[in-house]
Amino acid sequence: MSIFLVDEYKEMEPYVPGEQPKDKLYIKLNANETSLPPSPKVFEAISKSEIWNMSYYADPHCHEFRKAVASVYGVTEEEVFVGNGADEVLSFVLMSFFRRGMKIYFPDITYGFYRTYAKTYGLDMEEIPVKDDFSIDINDYMDLEGDIIFANPNNPTGRAIPIDDIEKLVKKNPERMVIVDEAYADYWGETCLPLATKYPNLVVVRTFSKSRNMAGTHIGFAIASKEIIADMNSIKFSFNPFNLNSVTMAAGIAAVKDTYYLDKCINRIVTNREQFKSDLENLGFHVIPSKANFVFCYHDTISSSELCEKLKEEGILTRHFADAKLDKYLRITIGTEQEMAVVLIAIKEILAEVKV
Amino acid sequence: MSIFLVDEYKEMEPYVPGEQPKDKLYIKLNANETSLPPSPKVFEAISKSEIWNMSYYADPHCHEFRKAVASVYGVTEEEVFVGNGADEVLSFVLMSFFRRGMKIYFPDITYGFYRTYAKTYGLDMEEIPVKDDFSIDINDYMDLEGDIIFANPNNPTGRAIPIDDIEKLVKKNPERMVIVDEAYADYWGETCLPLATKYPNLVVVRTFSKSRNMAGTHIGFAIASKEIIADMNSIKFSFNPFNLNSVTMAAGIAAVKDTYYLDKCINRIVTNREQFKSDLENLGFHVIPSKANFVFCYHDTISSSELCEKLKEEGILTRHFADAKLDKYLRITIGTEQEMAVVLIAIKEILAEVKV
């Protein structure tokens, strides 16, 4: 730590992303990414002339990209904010609308980045316990004094809050902002997006990192009222005006337009998820019903931390959270049929060893 | 503006980048970019398999890229921070080490983004007047109570502060941070980089947008003490852990290693700058001696705003600043020999018209 670091940051707890060891080839099912490639249109879009075009600044207003997103989601360009990953989009939301000491609520089990942000930037966060089955009761959020952030479906549980519940909450609390992070919503098929331009206190955040197979491209977007998007753009133009580079936007435009490929990938992952859940249950696993591209599960005969370790020895990465509320479970990302078949073989072998 | 915007931001003045009209083909000499392409190595680096690799999250620690930068600049990986453009790097510096109300000093004529940032995030900024010839007297900064930021060479004047002067300042004020933005230093040939790891209170910020012809890629980096870089990384991991995507880093690694191409491009632009300065002087222009990839100049017979307009009618973009201290001058980016020859023809025609 330098002597110059601002005092308020001295206790910060930076986010710890899922590990990405490079010492050998892994079957990587620990960070909800995928081995499926981006849309073929992305490969076409990043042409040699597009690379040459990197000589000139990209459009900081991101007009073409925002128009493409708007057209696919049936909103206007002014209702779309695009950013360098959903994390950056969320950070711009929080930066624009929250200041040190302001109250923010989220479930005690959710995406860890909200806690990181709130703690670092001095928001007064309150974590509301989820139910024993990891479901979220919207009534716990109805009469609070402060803004709220949900991941929906939730990470790492895969549980989803019904859209009607979120609409009730948003409608009843017009002076409170509700932020819904829909990173995994494509695997659920339901969404708050149609509400985002209907209610001025709702912000929906999306990512290209999951269903569009583009985690490494790191593109996120938000849909909300024109006023909210304008505020976020003002903050962006005061922090990093050119937040998306030209090649990234070219890739994003190509990807967002290819809804055929998107649907194909979603269907494939959802099919694999349901098959894998059923295969795990046949092996005696407890599996939380998931609306995302992962399952959250455990087996009575082996601790999830041990299972995670043993899978890693086999070159298969999964994610175990040491947090007391989560450490019983293992989160396994859903990949291709071949990847899931190999994981099942490995799990069977590990369980057989344990039983001996 | 939404009802949710934090009060402190209601008076913010977002940065206004140079215009980028797309209605026709322009000779674009308004934003200190270039029509020269990135290094050929960049074209090779962005292969189809690198695009496929966008499926997986990039390394948030940016190890390979930081190592490559470190090796080229003779420092260690721990002394290098890489970011999504120099603006993001600067924002992370300011976010880490400045808080609302803290004093920051910079010249009254400099890169406009510092003012934007300071105003938006409530720093107590004081702008110190440059001399009549736009030079900066380091003695004006020797006994202040607060941190300092310089663009060196300065934008939009092209004037540079001698490195010895900056060392004197840094040495005399060990408890004050000095940030030197060296966006244009490659066109000068002098640099504070060797001082950045020698003094714990100096941060040097660099960009790939100018001498590496990669404005659209938007890569910046900082070199400073390990402690300062660690603080900046903690803030980054609390704001946007994956701030550089995989393709951008692949491009960055290829570009930073190609020092041969870098030197060739720098030499070419510097040669063109000196030729263009002399050509302008032959036409009666007053030209500030420039250490950057642009010239700042005016002619007695035509206002710079009019000249800017008339050049635009010819499809040539230059930059005129409406600010009272700058409006006498026109900033013209140095491009290829062909671009500068065409600008000269246009200027001669415009001057001939004015004289009639």
Side-chain angles (χ1 to χ4, degrees):
Chain A
M1 199 182 287
S2 79
I3 59 162
F4 298 102
L5 185 67
V6 167
D7 285 342
E8 285 85 339
Y9 294 148
K10 288 187 175 155
E11 303 294 315
M12 69 184 151
E13 291 173 12
Y15 183 68
V16 181
E19 63 177 343
Q20 301 186 56
K22 304 276 182 207
D23 54 321
K24 62 176 179 181
L25 181 69
Y26 286 97
I27 298 172
K28 199 165 179 307
L29 303 174
N30 68 324
N32 301 338
E33 307 146 300
T34 171
S35 61
L36 295 177
S39 153
K41 304 287 182 194
V42 171
F43 290 82
E44 286 171 22
I46 306 182
S47 61
K48 295 298 177 222
S49 66
E50 191 59 52
I51 298 172
W52 188 313
N53 195 35
M54 287 174 124
S55 294
Y56 288 101
Y57 282 109
D59 170 21
H61 303 281
C62 311
H63 286 309
E64 291 310 313
F65 190 18
R66 291 165 69 200
K67 266 184 223 164
V69 172
S71 144
V72 167
Y73 289 97
V75 298
T76 67
E77 183 191 340
E78 290 71 29
E79 293 164 331
V80 176
F81 179 92
V82 289
N84 180 18
D87 290 339
E88 189 193 68
V89 174
L90 279 167
S91 286
F92 280 133
V93 172
L94 294 165
M95 203 170 185
S96 305
F97 306 115
F98 291 80
R99 69 180 140 200
R100 207 160 269 282
M102 257 177 77
K103 197 92 195 176
I104 186 166
Y105 296 90
F106 44 81
D108 65 339
I109 291 177
T110 193
Y111 180 36
F113 186 69
Y114 312 148
R115 189 179 299 137
T116 291
Y117 189 97
K119 201 166 159 67
T120 302
Y121 302 105
L123 312 187
D124 179 10
M125 63 178 168
E126 193 170 323
E127 303 184 30
I128 301 196
V130 300
K131 305 296 160 203
D132 286 344
D133 66 353
F134 296 128
S135 68
I136 288 168
D137 183 349
I138 203 72
N139 293 313
D140 292 344
Y141 295 83
M142 276 295 173
D143 301 296
L144 304 177
E145 288 183 0
D147 300 343
I148 296 164
I149 183 163
F150 291 126
N152 200 40
N154 202 6
N155 175 12
T157 66
R159 287 278 194 196
I161 307 167
I163 302 300
D164 286 352
D165 281 3
I166 293 186
E167 183 164 18
K168 259 185 255 169
L169 175 68
V170 168
K171 214 168 173 173
K172 200 189 161 201
N173 296 277
E175 78 298 345
R176 289 165 49 206
M177 180 176 277
V178 178
I179 303 153
V180 181
D181 176 354
E182 289 196 345
Y184 300 100
D186 278 338
Y187 302 109
W188 180 26
E190 302 195 30
T191 173
C192 285
L193 281 174
L195 307 180
T197 48
K198 185 174 168 193
Y199 296 100
N201 57 327
L202 177 63
V203 182
V204 178
V205 177
R206 288 268 182 144
T207 180
F208 280 39
S209 298
K210 312 299 174 187
S211 53
R212 285 194 177 80
N213 316 329
M214 290 170 76
T217 326
H218 220 235
I219 295 174
F221 64 96
I223 292 183
S225 72
K226 274 190 288 191
E227 291 74 19
I228 281 181
I229 299 301
D231 289 344
M232 289 175 64
N233 268 315
S234 293
I235 287 290
K236 179 191 105 155
F237 273 89
S238 305
F239 190 86
N240 191 21
F242 298 88
N243 64 330
L244 281 175
N245 73 32
S246 52
V247 162
T248 303
M249 284 200 278
I253 290 168
V256 79
K257 286 182 173 171
D258 193 355
T259 53
Y260 170 75
Y261 184 74
L262 173 72
D263 290 342
K264 226 169 54 168
C265 293
I266 294 169
N267 288 337
R268 188 167 166 192
I269 297 295
V270 168
T271 303
N272 293 353
R273 177 186 73 201
E274 295 310 311
Q275 182 61 51
F276 188 63
K277 175 175 186 278
S278 141
D279 292 340
L280 284 179
E281 285 171 341
N282 288 339
L283 294 176
F285 274 85
H286 306 264
V287 189
I288 304 290
S290 172
K291 304 296 186 190
N293 68 336
F294 52 80
V295 292
F296 204 47
C297 60
Y298 70 93
H299 198 274
D300 292 320
T301 65
I302 184 170
S303 78
S304 284
S305 66
E306 193 184 345
L307 181 54
C308 185
E309 270 313 303
K310 285 191 179 292
L311 284 169
K312 190 171 176 187
E313 285 164 20
E314 292 290 342
I316 298 168
L317 299 180
T318 59
R319 186 120 192 225
H320 177 256
F321 297 87
D323 183 301
K325 292 171 198 154
L326 301 173
D327 73 346
K328 192 170 170 186
Y329 287 80
L330 187 67
R331 192 187 71 187
I332 306 173
T333 302
I334 302 299
T336 62
E337 305 73 43
Q338 296 74 22
E339 287 171 320
M340 301 329 284
V342 170
V343 179
L344 269 180
I345 292 169
I347 288 176
K348 276 182 203 164
E349 288 178 3
I350 294 165
L351 290 181
E353 265 177 51
V354 171
K355 275 183 194 149
V356 175
Chain B
M1 198 182 287
S2 79
I3 59 162
F4 298 102
L5 186 67
V6 168
D7 284 343
E8 285 86 338
Y9 294 148
K10 288 188 174 153
E11 303 293 315
M12 69 183 151
E13 291 173 13
Y15 183 68
V16 181
E19 63 177 341
Q20 301 187 56
K22 304 275 181 206
D23 53 321
K24 62 176 177 181
L25 181 70
Y26 286 96
I27 297 172
K28 199 164 178 308
L29 304 173
N30 68 324
N32 302 339
E33 308 146 299
T34 171
S35 62
L36 295 177
S39 154
K41 304 287 182 194
V42 171
F43 289 82
E44 285 171 23
I46 306 182
S47 61
K48 295 298 176 221
S49 66
E50 192 58 53
I51 298 172
W52 188 313
N53 196 33
M54 287 174 124
S55 294
Y56 288 102
Y57 282 110
D59 170 21
H61 303 280
C62 311
H63 286 310
E64 292 309 314
F65 189 19
R66 290 166 69 200
K67 265 184 224 164
V69 172
S71 143
V72 167
Y73 289 97
V75 297
T76 67
E77 183 191 341
E78 291 70 31
E79 293 165 330
V80 176
F81 179 92
V82 289
N84 180 18
D87 289 340
E88 189 193 67
V89 174
L90 280 166
S91 286
F92 281 133
V93 172
L94 294 165
M95 203 170 186
S96 304
F97 306 115
F98 291 80
R99 68 182 140 201
R100 206 160 270 283
M102 258 177 77
K103 198 91 194 177
I104 187 166
Y105 297 90
F106 44 80
D108 64 340
I109 289 178
T110 194
Y111 179 36
F113 185 69
Y114 312 148
R115 190 178 297 137
T116 291
Y117 189 97
K119 201 166 160 67
T120 302
Y121 302 105
L123 312 187
D124 179 11
M125 64 178 167
E126 193 171 321
E127 303 184 30
I128 302 196
V130 301
K131 306 295 160 203
D132 286 345
D133 65 354
F134 296 128
S135 67
I136 289 168
D137 184 350
I138 204 71
N139 293 312
D140 293 345
Y141 295 83
M142 276 295 174
D143 301 297
L144 304 177
E145 289 182 359
D147 300 343
I148 296 164
I149 184 163
F150 291 126
N152 200 40
N154 201 7
N155 175 12
T157 66
R159 287 279 193 193
I161 307 168
I163 301 301
D164 285 352
D165 281 3
I166 293 186
E167 184 165 17
K168 258 185 257 168
L169 175 69
V170 168
K171 214 168 173 174
K172 199 189 162 199
N173 296 277
E175 77 299 346
R176 289 163 51 205
M177 180 176 277
V178 178
I179 303 153
V180 181
D181 176 353
E182 289 197 343
Y184 302 100
D186 278 339
Y187 302 109
W188 180 26
E190 302 194 29
T191 173
C192 285
L193 280 175
L195 308 180
T197 48
K198 184 174 168 193
Y199 295 101
N201 57 327
L202 176 64
V203 182
V204 177
V205 177
R206 288 268 182 143
T207 179
F208 280 40
S209 297
K210 312 299 175 188
S211 52
R212 285 194 177 79
N213 315 329
M214 291 170 75
T217 326
H218 221 234
I219 295 174
F221 64 95
I223 292 183
S225 72
K226 274 190 287 191
E227 291 74 19
I228 281 181
I229 299 301
D231 289 343
M232 289 175 65
N233 268 314
S234 293
I235 288 289
K236 179 191 105 156
F237 274 89
S238 304
F239 190 85
N240 191 21
F242 299 88
N243 64 329
L244 281 175
N245 73 32
S246 52
V247 162
T248 302
M249 284 200 278
I253 291 169
V256 79
K257 287 182 173 171
D258 194 355
T259 54
Y260 170 75
Y261 184 75
L262 174 72
D263 290 342
K264 226 170 54 169
C265 293
I266 294 169
N267 288 337
R268 186 166 166 192
I269 297 294
V270 168
T271 304
N272 293 354
R273 176 186 74 200
E274 295 309 310
Q275 182 61 50
F276 187 63
K277 175 174 185 279
S278 142
D279 291 340
L280 284 179
E281 285 171 340
N282 288 339
L283 293 177
F285 274 84
H286 305 264
V287 189
I288 304 291
S290 171
K291 303 296 186 190
N293 69 336
F294 52 81
V295 292
F296 204 48
C297 60
Y298 71 93
H299 198 276
D300 293 320
T301 65
I302 184 170
S303 77
S304 284
S305 65
E306 193 183 343
L307 180 54
C308 184
E309 271 312 303
K310 284 191 180 293
L311 284 169
K312 190 171 176 187
E313 284 164 21
E314 292 291 341
I316 299 168
L317 299 181
T318 58
R319 187 120 192 226
H320 176 256
F321 298 87
D323 183 302
K325 293 169 197 153
L326 301 172
D327 73 346
K328 191 170 169 185
Y329 287 80
L330 188 67
R331 192 188 70 187
I332 306 174
T333 301
I334 302 299
T336 62
E337 306 72 43
Q338 296 74 23
E339 287 171 321
M340 302 330 283
V342 170
V343 178
L344 269 180
I345 292 168
I347 288 176
K348 278 182 202 162
E349 289 178 3
I350 294 165
L351 290 180
E353 263 178 51
V354 171
K355 276 184 192 146
V356 172

